[in-house]
Amino acid sequence: ILFFGIALNSVFAQTPLFTQNFNSSSTLSNYITSSSPNNGQFNAITTSSGMTASITGSALQFGRTSGTGSFSRTTNFSPIPSGIIYKFDLNVTASSQTGTVARWQVGDGFGTNNSNESSNDCFAQFAIDFRTGNNYRINDITNGNTSSNFSGGTVRTITWVLNNSGSTLSYNAPDGTVKTVSNNRTDLWVGNTRVITGADVEDNGNISDLKFVFSNGTGTVIMDNILITQYIPVVTTQPSASPSVCAGT
């Protein structure tokens, strides 16, 4: 008689929370609704004098000479996730060097005001700095770390992994390997390069709202193919490879 054991494997299933490729319309207002947005809409996209926001080349483009531009997603994700992967394509043109120019934030209790949210309301955040020669870098503003420079004018995929699950999270990394990130920590990738590893978060609150603010420097920030997925632990079973044999008369 053969008895097959059962092996338990902890894996993670991805569920989309927000997805937008800006292909459906060239009209900016079609991607905005102040209440009850779908999973591809913002509650607000706002600009002040000297800043433009548009759908250009099927991407969301902010152009700045002065002023501030932002998007806000203040309607909570449903369900509120305990871990997410926040991906988007980024293209930057840096016309002037002024240090930190734009910031991405995830947290709760955000508003639609055209300004950065308080760090106390952020689960995590990162920024980009404009550099000389049309270069930019990633700035882990929470922990004071910066990446090497990336040249502007080239589309690169940002992959931001945020973990508030209470345990270590495993994920399929852009370089084809499986990586882990501890609870209340984040990883950030530019293309296949991890530039932030296991960074501390701002606050261990909810991951429910989004904010982007471009408030300094002269240039453009273009985003496309935004995809935010939650990670839900799932237990699967499979037969073990080694049988157990019982002998009888």
Side-chain angles (χ1 to χ4, degrees):
I1 300 172
L2 300 180
F3 293 94
F4 289 90
I6 299 297
L8 299 181
N9 297 321
S10 179
V11 298
F12 287 89
Q14 287 182 284
T15 302
L17 294 169
F18 186 95
T19 179
Q20 185 54 257
N21 61 15
F22 304 102
N23 286 335
S24 63
S25 174
S26 60
T27 302
L28 184 67
S29 60
N30 288 340
Y31 300 96
I32 307 166
T33 184
S34 59
S35 62
S36 301
N38 62 34
N39 69 348
Q41 292 180 309
F42 302 95
N43 292 89
I45 298 176
T46 307
T47 60
S48 62
S49 179
M51 172 70 72
T52 61
S54 63
I55 305 299
T56 303
S58 297
L60 176 60
Q61 176 171 300
F62 289 88
R64 186 183 190 277
T65 57
S66 62
T68 301
S70 65
F71 70 59
S72 305
R73 169 75 186 210
T74 59
T75 297
N76 288 354
F77 294 134
S78 182
I80 293 175
S82 59
I84 65 170
I85 294 183
Y86 185 167
K87 293 183 68 173
F88 59 94
D89 292 338
L90 176 67
N91 194 355
V92 172
T93 300
S95 300
S96 68
Q97 180 192 6
T98 56
T100 300
V101 299
R103 188 177 301 198
W104 288 260
Q105 299 177 307
V106 172
D108 60 3
F110 287 3
T112 58
N113 53 304
N114 195 25
S115 61
N116 292 311
E117 298 293 332
S118 165
S119 296
N120 292 333
D121 294 324
C122 290
F123 176 75
Q125 58 181 332
F126 78 93
I128 57 171
D129 300 341
F130 281 177
R131 310 288 286 163
T132 56
N134 190 27
N135 292 315
Y136 67 96
R137 68 184 180 187
I138 303 296
N139 188 339
D140 172 15
I141 51 180
T142 302
N143 301 285
N145 301 314
T146 56
S147 73
S148 58
N149 286 349
F150 296 93
S151 58
T154 299
V155 177
R156 294 181 174 85
T157 299
I158 304 297
T159 305
W160 192 20
V161 184
L162 301 88
N163 183 13
N164 190 31
S165 68
S167 60
T168 297
L169 182 151
S170 298
Y171 65 96
N172 295 319
D175 66 355
T177 65
V178 175
K179 301 295 187 185
T180 60
V181 61
S182 299
N183 183 51
N184 289 333
R185 298 293 180 95
T186 70
D187 283 358
L188 190 141
W189 298 71
V190 179
N192 293 334
T193 303
R194 184 164 53 171
V195 300
I196 297 175
T197 302
D200 287 326
V201 300
E202 289 282 355
D203 185 81
N204 60 358
N206 286 332
I207 299 173
S208 60
D209 300 347
L210 308 176
K211 196 66 170 280
F212 163 78
V213 179
F214 184 8
S215 60
N216 208 350
T218 302
T220 61
V221 175
I222 303 171
M223 288 166 280
D224 196 6
N225 299 316
I226 302 173
L227 175 62
I228 300 174
T229 53
Q230 69 169 328
Y231 265 63
I232 303 174
V234 176
V235 174
T236 62
T237 61
Q238 64 182 26
S240 63
S242 301
S244 175
V245 179
C246 293
T249 58

